[in-house]
Amino acid sequence: MTHRSIRIGALTRVEGEGSLLVRARDGRVTDVELNIYEPPRFFEAMLRGRAHTEPPDITARICGICPVAYQMSACQAIESACGAEVTGPLRDLRLLLYYGEWIESHALHIHLLHAPDFLGYDSGVAMAADHRPVLERGLALKKAGNELVAALGGRAIHPVNVRVGGFYRVPARTELAPLAERLRHARDQALATVEWVAGFDFPDVEHGYRFLALSHPAEYAILSGSISVSDGTAFAASDWPAHVVEEQVPCSTALHARLDGSTGYLVGALARYALNAHLLSPLARSAASDAGLGPVCRNPFRSIVVRAVEILHACDEALRIIEDYTEPDAPSVPVDPRPGVGHGVSEAPRGTLYHRYRIDDAGLIAEADIVPPTSQNQARIEMDLRHLVEPRLDLPQVELAALCERTVRNHDPCISCSAHFLDLRLDR
């Protein structure tokens, strides 16, 4: 009887703190644990008793990489509970802000976290010695995204200009012109990035993923839509609790999620692309085809190509919004508190992000529930590891451990986002 174990005490080039354990016996993988040991962050509890206007500012602090995602899902949930709707130029500005976050987040992941795996480096810094122009291009893309977030959100990290109902201040059309010039250059850089990553050597791996992502009839969904699943089912944001159930697992401070009783569905770039590729901008759609993606991509290592295509789409659509922009009559719509429950779903760079709030008679938050994308993907990442490792158990230990880390990084986990809540009981 032969035993083998792979232990990685601290995963690298991911946001947050996590480890990995894989055990095998007689050629079969017996255990896989993606151990998220970062202390839980009790944001849902902190929101209780707060005014209905506060969730966008509080939840933005969950993540410094994707604060806009938390603000957008929070705003939509509160507006849903209060019977308000943000449309027209204000919705366009929200989408523009979100595109800025997509650009900066994907650029960071592609160039500094993921590309070193394909080029044989242990960090983006080490890679810079031989690939300086590529890293500079990635940093320029990230800067373009940061500038877009800062222009609309007041600052690049944890924006302060977002409010329930819209914004505190909206830009004049003339203020967006300099952004358009930078975005045109960023679009060229994004196209070059797609061509660059498409040339990487990808392991020959495919998984039968069950994808979940937002879908919208008129756009590559990011800000709103219905929740679609690759098996053909779909449901509204208000029906999320009936379909997605979270549970605590012993090895992680992040909750695992089940979709309709089944473990291991996938959210994120691969899911969005599989369900919505036909709604990419024409330039992004053409680039995806030239990169060999096809209508669906089931190779998680090629997710880096999908993210590059999404950067290109974000640049293209951001330019369209700026060109068509008309300043709204007011920076926000009224959102008066009323008792009720609201649901909000949007597409964070790492996948579908759900918020639910119950507002009481005093206009205060009585209950809050936040389901981030990384916790939804945790079980699926473990399944990927099981399927990848088992036929490769004859590889040297160092090589197999490196492949396991690469498998985790394929999904760009944001561990700090995922470590939300533990069910704590004190017996005295």
Side-chain angles (χ1 to χ4, degrees):
M1 184 177 292
T2 58
H3 300 262
R4 188 172 184 186
S5 63
I6 302 163
R7 295 177 184 271
I8 300 171
L11 294 165
T12 59
R13 281 185 275 131
V14 297
E15 197 288 326
E17 299 173 350
S19 64
L20 184 63
L21 171 64
V22 180
R23 292 192 184 97
R25 175 183 296 178
D26 295 334
R28 300 295 302 272
V29 172
T30 58
D31 298 290
V32 179
E33 293 182 1
L34 176 57
N35 183 351
I36 293 177
Y37 56 79
E38 186 159 324
R41 307 164 74 216
F42 301 97
F43 274 91
E44 288 96 336
M46 284 191 286
L47 286 162
R48 293 177 199 151
R50 297 283 189 166
H52 77 293
T53 56
E54 294 188 73
D57 290 320
I58 294 174
T59 60
R61 269 64 181 179
I62 291 173
C63 185
I65 299 173
C66 50
V68 172
Y70 283 92
Q71 291 183 318
M72 293 300 100
S73 289
C75 283
Q76 290 188 38
I78 295 296
E79 289 153 9
S80 166
C82 298
E85 186 178 7
V86 174
T87 59
L90 287 176
R91 183 185 187 276
D92 289 341
L93 286 176
R94 281 184 167 179
L95 193 52
L96 186 62
L97 175 65
Y98 219 147
Y99 282 139
E101 180 161 280
W102 266 30
I103 293 167
E104 62 87 7
S105 177
H106 280 351
L108 169 67
H109 171 75
I110 289 170
H111 294 86
L112 294 174
L113 306 182
H114 208 187
D117 283 335
F118 297 95
L119 300 177
Y121 299 93
D122 61 7
S123 70
V125 174
M127 194 176 91
D130 300 319
H131 299 273
R132 184 184 179 98
V134 168
L135 264 295
E136 288 178 342
R137 184 176 67 209
L139 292 173
L141 271 171
K142 188 178 188 316
K143 183 178 180 181
N146 285 344
E147 288 177 347
L148 192 52
V149 173
L152 294 169
R155 61 188 187 193
I157 300 174
H158 306 321
V160 294
N161 190 39
V162 175
R163 64 178 295 176
V164 172
F167 297 86
Y168 289 100
R169 177 189 178 275
V170 294
R173 184 175 172 83
T174 53
E175 293 177 70
L176 297 181
L179 291 175
E181 183 59 34
R182 285 191 285 274
L183 281 168
R184 279 188 282 271
H185 186 47
R187 182 170 59 185
D188 293 338
Q189 294 170 321
L191 182 58
T193 299
V194 176
E195 295 168 350
W196 174 58
V197 297
F200 289 169
D201 185 16
F202 300 102
D204 186 14
V205 174
E206 286 202 352
H207 297 302
Y209 290 122
R210 189 183 186 196
F211 295 119
L212 181 147
L214 277 181
S215 289
H216 189 284
E219 62 192 29
Y220 191 82
I222 172 173
L223 188 59
S224 61
S226 61
I227 296 100
S228 294
V229 184
S230 54
D231 61 12
T233 60
F235 53 93
S238 58
D239 293 328
W240 180 281
H243 292 271
V244 179
V245 176
E246 293 182 294
E247 61 184 11
Q248 190 71 55
V249 295
C251 67
S252 176
T253 56
L255 301 174
H256 278 207
R258 293 180 179 271
L259 173 62
D260 295 327
S262 175
T263 300
Y265 67 97
L266 187 75
V267 301
L270 291 182
R272 286 190 295 261
Y273 181 83
L275 294 166
N276 302 300
H278 62 290
L279 290 169
L280 286 165
S281 72
L283 181 61
R285 200 161 58 244
S286 175
S289 177
D290 291 344
L293 280 177
V296 177
C297 178
R298 296 186 177 278
N299 184 337
F301 292 92
R302 290 175 66 85
S303 63
I304 193 171
V305 184
V306 178
R307 289 188 180 92
V309 168
E310 288 192 333
I311 293 178
L312 181 58
H313 172 80
C315 291
D316 224 14
E317 286 298 292
L319 283 165
R320 179 191 59 79
I321 290 172
I322 291 173
E323 182 178 341
D324 296 341
Y325 175 62
T326 300
E327 189 173 343
D329 295 331
S332 64
V333 299
V335 182
D336 299 320
R338 69 181 189 187
V341 177
H343 308 260
V345 184
S346 70
E347 284 291 330
R350 287 154 192 83
T352 311
L353 171 63
Y354 168 78
H355 287 226
R356 179 184 64 85
Y357 299 104
R358 182 170 68 83
I359 300 175
D360 65 16
D361 293 336
L364 304 179
I365 305 296
E367 293 177 10
D369 184 27
I370 300 172
V371 184
T374 293
S375 63
Q376 295 177 71
N377 278 346
Q378 188 177 352
R380 182 63 245 191
I381 293 172
E382 292 179 345
M383 293 170 70
D384 278 14
L385 286 160
R386 183 182 296 273
H387 295 156
L388 189 79
V389 167
E390 195 161 273
R392 296 170 175 81
L393 284 170
D394 58 340
L395 290 176
Q397 186 78 357
V398 172
E399 188 175 339
L400 192 56
L403 188 60
C404 287
E405 278 209 76
R406 289 184 65 183
T407 299
V408 175
R409 282 192 290 267
N410 284 336
H411 301 289
D412 190 20
C414 187
I415 289 173
S416 295
C417 285
S418 69
H420 265 255
F421 198 78
L422 283 173
D423 189 8
L424 180 64
R425 185 180 67 186
L426 295 177
D427 292 328
R428 297 183 182 276

